[in-house]
Amino acid sequence: MKVTVTTLTGEIFPLEVSADLELENFKALCEYECGFPCSEMMVLHNGIPLMDDKKTLEGYKIGENDVLLIQRMRNPAQMSQPMSDLPQIDFSNIQVPGTSSQARGSPRSLEEDPAALRAALLANPHHRALLKERNPPLSEALESGDLEKFTNVMRSQQREKAERERERIRLMNADPFDAEAQQHIAEDIRLKNVEANMESAMEWNPESFGQVVMLYIDCKVNGHDVKAFVDSGAQMTIMSAACAERCNIMRLVDRRWAGIAKGVGTQKIIGRVHMGQIQIGPDYLQSSFSILEDQPMDMLLGLDMLKRHQCSIDLKRNMLTIGTTGTETTFLSEGDLPPCARLNRAPSVTEDEDKQLAEAMQRSAEEASAGPSSVPDIPEEKVNQIVQMGFPRELAIKELRKSNGDVNQAAAAILAKSLQGP
């Protein structure tokens, strides 16, 4: 007959056994599969421990497709004690693997005393670092310095883990042909495979969990130092509005090229500088810039500029080579990166981005429609008077329409807005 054997650690394996097989021989088969010594093995059927090793499986009324649970009992005295309820969950699993039980004390005492557990973790920087990686919520509560918060998080995790374990044991003893039980068993197997895959990656490929330093180079735009991000995955070269102001090229922005840039999030494109010079080493290279309104990095060298000058990214030598001139420049080290490149997290897509995109597109459409041909009631010379004061044309037209063509009132309104705080 076929039986399914599971352990508290999540191992599941089928066995083909005879009904007249004695329990001690059945334990020997299980020892080969799970690695538990027979002397420390407790077999449970429908939550009832099987105590007589000389009794057969048929004598225990174990039938076809039944599920048996194996628990490892490290204390031999526990083998002779009946189990009145489900096994207690060992909270020592939150401890980092690789530490001995002697080094961390009694798991049960630490579980019952959050203050002792917290003190033990605070006293060991290595454990804290691994706890931060394996259990971020508990690590955050630990670093907060609040014992009550740490206790609440720990107890909450204990309850959740115990509930999951009870549910798993219930499903193990349920009808094996039940669709819900099979679905949960499949999910347990999948999660186990994910954990095994991560452990293998941490052992054989630990560098995949590290931070990758982005590719930045030093350059100059209009004589001003700029740290440019080299991104062959970007279609165009972009620059932030703040950097364009600093480099004094906002006066060259063609606002007819305004629009919306979509990628990870959305950003408004103010316009385009059709031709500008980027100095990389001794070379002066021509490039165009799309100016973005809210761009965290100063400048991004996109594929348009890289292909135009036949640039080559040499990761072996950590250099960018300008193919048209042969000039080489070294990528910046991590300590030389700008603050925006040192973020310890990837940008995330928020739920409001669709709304932001719609609003940005609407503003762009309104500004595009606010040209001279669409406002015949405002003379062109009045618009030019405000533009000559250094204000954007779109804003001049908007305020002139509000003030019924009064240049002084429109200029005063624009000036008042520019003086308002953020």
Side-chain angles (χ1 to χ4, degrees):
M1 65 179 179
K2 281 187 176 181
V3 296
T4 301
V5 181
T6 182
T7 67
L8 291 178
T9 58
E11 296 181 68
I12 302 174
F13 51 90
L15 287 177
E16 185 79 28
V17 296
S18 172
D20 58 357
L21 183 69
E22 294 181 350
L23 181 62
E24 60 181 358
N25 295 325
F26 177 77
K27 287 183 177 181
L29 289 176
C30 295
E31 179 180 2
Y32 176 78
E33 294 289 343
C34 66
F36 294 172
C38 292
S39 58
E40 300 179 2
M41 189 180 298
M42 173 73 75
V43 182
L44 295 92
H45 180 231
N46 293 331
I48 300 174
L50 311 182
M51 307 301 296
D52 188 354
D53 286 344
K54 297 298 182 180
K55 197 171 182 179
T56 64
L57 300 184
E58 184 179 20
Y60 282 117
K61 298 183 180 180
I62 298 173
E64 183 76 15
N65 295 321
D66 278 1
V67 177
L68 301 176
L69 174 66
I70 292 179
Q71 183 187 5
R72 187 173 186 177
M73 310 296 289
R74 297 185 183 275
N75 184 0
Q78 296 178 358
M79 300 292 292
S80 59
Q81 296 177 0
M83 296 178 61
S84 58
D85 53 5
L86 290 175
Q88 295 296 317
I89 304 303
D90 187 1
F91 192 62
S92 63
N93 287 333
I94 69 165
Q95 296 291 338
V96 178
T99 58
S100 64
S101 59
Q102 290 84 1
R104 63 177 179 254
S106 170
R108 181 61 55 188
S109 62
L110 290 179
E111 178 182 356
E112 296 172 353
D113 189 353
L117 174 61
R118 179 173 173 272
L121 290 172
L122 290 174
N124 193 317
H126 178 66
H127 288 185
R128 289 206 311 273
L130 290 181
L131 182 68
K132 184 175 182 180
E133 178 183 328
R134 302 293 181 85
N135 194 336
L138 190 62
S139 175
E140 183 181 352
L142 176 68
E143 299 297 337
S144 69
D146 187 346
L147 177 59
E148 182 179 359
K149 180 179 180 180
F150 178 82
T151 302
N152 292 338
V153 173
M154 189 185 77
R155 297 301 187 200
S156 175
Q157 291 185 351
Q158 282 180 301
R159 289 192 296 270
E160 291 175 4
K161 187 173 182 179
E163 180 61 32
R164 288 196 302 268
E165 189 66 24
R166 284 193 292 269
E167 179 67 13
R168 190 181 66 82
I169 294 175
R170 183 187 69 81
L171 292 171
M172 290 297 99
N173 292 295
D175 182 3
F177 297 102
D178 181 70
E180 180 186 0
Q182 291 295 328
Q183 183 178 359
H184 280 78
I185 292 173
E187 179 64 15
D188 285 344
I189 295 174
R190 188 191 72 82
L191 293 176
K192 181 182 176 183
N193 291 335
V194 170
E195 287 295 325
N197 181 261
M198 186 184 75
E199 291 175 2
S200 298
M202 294 183 69
E203 180 176 0
W204 301 106
N205 191 26
E207 63 273 12
S208 64
F209 295 91
Q211 293 289 328
V212 177
V213 178
M214 305 304 287
L215 303 180
Y216 277 80
I217 61 171
D218 279 325
C219 63
K220 290 187 177 183
V221 177
N222 203 19
H224 295 269
D225 292 327
V226 176
K227 296 183 187 295
F229 175 40
V230 180
D231 186 4
S232 60
Q235 185 178 13
M236 58 188 178
T237 298
I238 64 176
M239 179 182 286
S240 68
C243 182
E245 290 280 4
R246 193 170 69 248
C247 297
N248 195 28
I249 60 173
M250 281 297 290
R251 55 190 174 82
L252 301 177
V253 175
D254 186 348
R255 297 180 181 272
R256 294 174 297 179
W257 294 73
I260 298 297
K262 292 194 294 182
V264 180
T266 59
Q267 294 190 31
K268 178 182 176 182
I269 300 176
I270 297 175
R272 174 185 168 101
V273 176
H274 298 293
M275 187 173 68
Q277 279 190 341
I278 302 176
Q279 181 184 356
I280 301 178
D283 296 338
Y284 290 85
L285 308 176
Q286 301 297 331
S287 180
S288 57
F289 308 102
S290 293
I291 310 301
L292 269 62
E293 187 175 51
D294 296 316
Q295 172 65 21
M297 63 186 69
D298 286 341
M299 188 168 69
L300 183 149
L301 300 181
L303 195 59
D304 58 344
M305 187 269 183
L306 297 176
K307 292 189 69 174
R308 181 182 301 124
H309 300 286
Q310 302 173 16
C311 297
S312 175
I313 299 175
D314 190 342
L315 297 180
K316 182 177 181 180
R317 297 190 302 147
N318 197 39
M319 285 188 173
L320 177 70
T321 303
I322 311 299
T324 53
T325 64
T327 298
E328 296 179 340
T329 182
T330 305
F331 291 118
L332 299 181
S333 62
E334 185 174 5
D336 297 327
L337 298 182
C340 65
R342 300 176 188 172
L343 296 178
N344 197 25
R345 51 174 167 63
S348 58
V349 180
T350 64
E351 298 178 354
D352 297 333
E353 285 189 353
D354 289 339
K355 181 179 179 181
Q356 294 174 1
L357 174 60
E359 292 176 352
M361 292 181 68
Q362 182 179 359
R363 289 197 303 269
S364 179
E366 291 175 354
E367 293 173 359
S369 65
S373 58
S374 64
V375 284
D377 55 317
I378 299 178
E380 187 65 20
E381 57 270 16
K382 292 187 177 182
V383 176
N384 291 334
Q385 288 181 34
I386 298 181
V387 171
Q388 290 174 2
M389 298 178 188
F391 299 116
R393 179 183 182 82
E394 292 81 4
L395 188 55
I397 294 174
K398 182 179 179 181
E399 292 300 331
L400 281 171
R401 295 176 69 180
K402 289 183 179 180
S403 62
N404 295 323
D406 189 329
V407 176
N408 294 330
Q409 184 178 347
I414 295 174
L415 182 61
K417 288 183 179 179
S418 67
L419 295 177
Q420 289 179 356

